[in-house]
């Protein structure tokens, strides 16, 4: 599309994430949301470009999670790389758990129970997992 | 650090002669190149094949360098060699050539362009007098352009003050192959040659970023690890702007149908959407809003109702309020944000006329010219 805003993150979600980090009575201007929207989009393109460059050097076509972690580390973003590595491990554990539950079930009732339990297991608290200060800021936040 | 220390002294001597004799500076640059080569050879000692190949290249470069300098007569010959370099680059690197043409020979591309031919040229066994001849036009070309000199200055602080990064880069490039090592040598040579004239300050882990064309600020130092990424992103953004994929101006709304639907909704006093819960006030407010909508449409902020209906929830989010609705609220959010400024005074006038209709303390400001607002609203 010719619309440039399609390449940006949705501004409502950006505003909601910004609001989570502020006091309840704080107000955010539209210009502030637009600025953070552009900064977040540029940061994603920056890290993704580094990961894609590594895939191009190694003659690979698929950018996977390890490439993103390695890109963050090569760009000097060590805190982000550690948090992303922990999230990636937790995500893969959830995927393996869901796969094992689906393969072990045979009856319809067991499949329904496994589906609900698997859905619960895969649910990851993103903010708590990605927090770079795990020991200090360990309180769980509802994932919206 | 001993080799880097030696490299430090030679540029200071070249700064005196740089203003008078460019060719002498070129000769000193070749000597600096030899020093850089020895330093990298010392660091890359663990690699057997690389260590075996580097001394041969060092001997060839040092031996043939003086011959080429003695043989070179004037600038015209260097220009011919530069054109040969361009043609060779066109043949060998098709992708890079395409990128150069696409970028329109910008500053970053000009830096990448001279560094590539020696890389590809030295990968096969080259003739001994040929390789320095290919390297000499790069130096003369760099001395002609001031921006290129400023760009080459960027890598000097890193090489001088950030030797661990140098070892890291050397180790990484040795793993890739011999051609990458040649590229690193070219960068080292150019950086040493132009280091002293500009007196670049050495900062730990910082690399001087070349100034962008659009910005007029001074030099910006960035993390050395992120330097290549930033240059790559600049090229990608320039390419996107050239293809008109990114527009600077923001549209007030993203979807036409949603915009028209929002315009058709009933609005109460103050321009906000009517709340579906207040059925008693809806009829009275609708009668009051009818002449306003027929007049030309009064645009106000979004309604803060917490109704569960989809149509209402889409446009719940207000621009400055903390209350949040559905994810799609951002679409109409743009419309309200864009149209808020011209509709501010009519909304305020309607609020003052309505009295206790809105109940917002934000709009309770006393207006000195009350009659003027009424005239604007009626028009």
């Amino acid at each position: 599309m010719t619309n440039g805003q399609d390449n940006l993150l949705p501004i409502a979600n950006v505003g909601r994430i910004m609001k989570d980090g502020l006091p309840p009575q704080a107000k955010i201007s539209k210009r502030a949301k637009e600025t953070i929207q552009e900064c977040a989009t540029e940061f994603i393109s920056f890290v993704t470009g580094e990961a894609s460059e590594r895939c191009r050097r190694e003659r690979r076509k698929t950018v996977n999670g390890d490439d993103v972690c390695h890109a963050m580390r090569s760009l000097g973003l060590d805190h982000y790389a550690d948090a992303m590595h922990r999230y990636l491990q937790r995500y893969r554990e959830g995927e393996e758990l869901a796969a094992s539950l689906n393969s072990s079930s045979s009856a319809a009732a067991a499949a329904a129970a496994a589906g609900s339990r698997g859905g619960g297991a895969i649910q990851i608290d993103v903010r708590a997992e990605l927090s770079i200060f795990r020991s200090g800021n360990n309180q769980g936040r509802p994932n919206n | 650090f001993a080799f880097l220390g030696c490299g430090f002294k030679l540029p200071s001597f070249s700064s005196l002669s740089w203003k008078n004799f460019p060719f002498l500076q070129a000769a000193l640059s070749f000597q600096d190149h030899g020093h850089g080569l020895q330093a990298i050879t010392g660091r890359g000692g663990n690699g057997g094949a690389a260590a075996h190949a580097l001394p041969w290249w060092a001997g060839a470069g040092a031996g043939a360098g003086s011959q080429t300098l003695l043989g070179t007569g004037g600038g015209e010959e260097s220009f011919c060699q530069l054109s040969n370099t361009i043609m060779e680059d066109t043949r060998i690197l098709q992708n890079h050539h395409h990128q150069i043409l696409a970028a329109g020979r910008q500053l970053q591309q000009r830096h990448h362009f001279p560094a590539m031919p020696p890389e590809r040229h030295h990968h096969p066994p080259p003739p001994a007098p040929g390789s320095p001849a290919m390297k000499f036009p790069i130096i003369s070309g760099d001395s002609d352009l001031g921006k290129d000199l400023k760009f080459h200055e960027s890598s000097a602080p890193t090489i001088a003050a950030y030797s661990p990064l140098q070892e890291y880069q050397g180790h990484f490039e040795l793993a890739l192959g011999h051609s990458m090592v040649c590229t690193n040598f070219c960068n080292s040579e150019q950086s040493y040659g132009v280091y002293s004239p500009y007196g670049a300050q050495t900062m730990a882990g910082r690399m001087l970023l070349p100034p962008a064309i659009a910005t007029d600020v001074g030099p910006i130092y960035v993390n050395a690890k992120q330097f290549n990424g930033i240059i790559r992103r600049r090229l990608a953004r320039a390419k996107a702007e050239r293809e008109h994929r990114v527009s600077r101006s923001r549209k007030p709304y993203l979807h036409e149908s949603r915009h028209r639907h929002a315009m058709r909704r009933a609005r109460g006093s103050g321009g906000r959407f009517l709340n579906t819960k207040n059925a008693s006030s809806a009829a009275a407010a609708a009668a009051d809003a009818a002449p306003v909508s027929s007049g030309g449409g009064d645009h106000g902020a979004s309604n803060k109702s917490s109704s569960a209906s989809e149509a209402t929830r889409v446009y719940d989010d207000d621009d400055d309020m903390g209350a949040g609705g559905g994810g799609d609220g951002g679409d109409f959010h743009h419309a309200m944000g864009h149209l808020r400024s011209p509709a501010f005074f009519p909304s305020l006038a309607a609020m003052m006329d309505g009295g206790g209709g809105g109940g917002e303390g934000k709009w309770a400001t006393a207006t000195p010219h009350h009659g003027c607002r009424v005239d604007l609203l009626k028009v």
Side-chain angles (χ1 to χ4, degrees), chain A residues 1-8 10-13 16 19 24 26-31 33-35 37-38 41-42 45-46 49-51 53 57 70 73-78, chain B residues 168 172 176 223 225-226 228-230 232-233 237 244-254 317-331 333-334 337-338:
Chain A
M1 294 185 179
T2 59
N3 192 356
Q5 295 172 5
D6 287 343
N7 295 325
L8 297 174
I11 194 168
N13 295 336
R16 196 182 310 123
K19 187 178 55 180
K27 295 182 175 60
I28 308 173
S29 68
K30 187 171 86 71
R31 183 57 190 166
K33 294 179 186 177
E34 291 178 356
T35 304
Q37 186 188 22
E38 294 173 3
T41 306
E42 182 62 28
S45 302
F46 186 61
E50 181 72 18
E53 178 65 21
R57 280 198 299 262
H70 189 270
R73 201 169 296 276
S74 62
L75 291 172
L77 308 170
D78 296 322
Chain B
Y168 170 75
F172 180 74
L176 286 183
N223 190 335
K225 293 181 177 178
Q226 302 176 4
N228 294 322
I230 293 171
R232 194 185 308 119
R233 279 297 305 158
R237 281 200 301 265
H244 302 290
R245 288 199 290 104
V246 176
S247 59
R248 286 294 181 179
S249 61
R250 281 174 174 266
K251 297 177 65 177
Y253 50 84
L254 290 177
D317 284 339
D318 190 27
D319 189 13
D320 297 332
M321 292 301 176
D328 294 330
D331 299 328
H333 215 54
H334 287 275
H338 181 75

Side-chain angles (χ1 to χ4, degrees), chain B residues 295-316:
Chain B
D298 186 7
H299 312 315
S302 301
N303 194 359
K304 293 181 62 179
S305 65
S306 60
S307 176
S309 63
E310 287 290 335
T312 307
R313 186 172 60 182
V314 167
Y315 307 100
D316 269 344

Side-chain angles (χ1 to χ4, degrees), chain A residues 12-99:
Chain A
N13 295 336
V14 170
R16 196 182 310 123
I17 292 170
M18 292 170 68
K19 187 178 55 180
D20 289 336
L22 296 173
Q25 68 273 9
K27 295 182 175 60
I28 308 173
S29 68
K30 187 171 86 71
R31 183 57 190 166
K33 294 179 186 177
E34 291 178 356
T35 304
I36 294 296
Q37 186 188 22
E38 294 173 3
C39 290
T41 306
E42 182 62 28
F43 177 74
I44 291 172
S45 302
F46 186 61
V47 176
T48 309
E50 181 72 18
S52 176
E53 178 65 21
R54 184 180 183 225
C55 289
R56 190 190 64 82
R57 280 198 299 262
E58 299 180 357
R59 303 288 195 275
R60 289 192 282 109
K61 295 183 177 179
T62 305
V63 181
N64 50 41
D66 292 329
D67 295 328
V68 176
C69 291
H70 189 270
M72 286 177 171
R73 201 169 296 276
S74 62
L75 291 172
L77 308 170
D78 296 322
H79 289 303
Y80 289 85
D82 294 337
M84 183 60 66
H85 190 59
R86 288 198 304 270
Y87 176 81
L88 196 58
Q89 283 183 338
R90 189 63 59 86
Y91 178 81
R92 285 172 175 169
E93 289 173 2
E95 288 286 314
E96 291 178 359
L97 182 59

Side-chain angles (χ1 to χ4, degrees), chain B residues 350-362:
Chain B
M351 179 62 70
M352 295 301 295
D353 290 343
E360 292 284 338
K362 174 181 176 182

Side-chain angles (χ1 to χ4, degrees), chain B residues 20-45:
Chain B
N20 300 326
F21 304 103
F23 293 105
L24 191 56
Q25 184 206 4
L28 291 173
S29 300
F30 275 111
Q31 294 183 6
D32 294 338
H33 177 74
H35 278 284
L37 187 62
Q38 293 180 2
I40 295 176
T41 304
R43 291 201 192 92

Side-chain angles (χ1 to χ4, degrees), chain B residues 25-102:
Chain B
Q25 184 206 4
L28 291 173
S29 300
F30 275 111
Q31 294 183 6
D32 294 338
H33 177 74
H35 278 284
L37 187 62
Q38 293 180 2
I40 295 176
T41 304
R43 291 201 192 92
N46 53 359
H52 182 69
L54 292 178
W56 157 78
W57 162 236
S66 58
Q67 296 178 4
T68 307
L69 286 177
L70 293 176
T72 303
E76 191 170 3
E77 184 176 355
S78 64
F79 272 108
C80 293
Q81 291 172 349
L82 186 61
S83 64
N84 292 333
T85 307
I86 293 172
M87 294 183 66
E88 184 178 9
D89 177 73
T90 303
R91 287 196 302 272
I92 295 173
L93 299 176
Q94 187 63 30
N95 295 331
H96 196 64
H97 174 65
H98 178 71
Q99 193 174 7
I100 289 176
L101 291 181

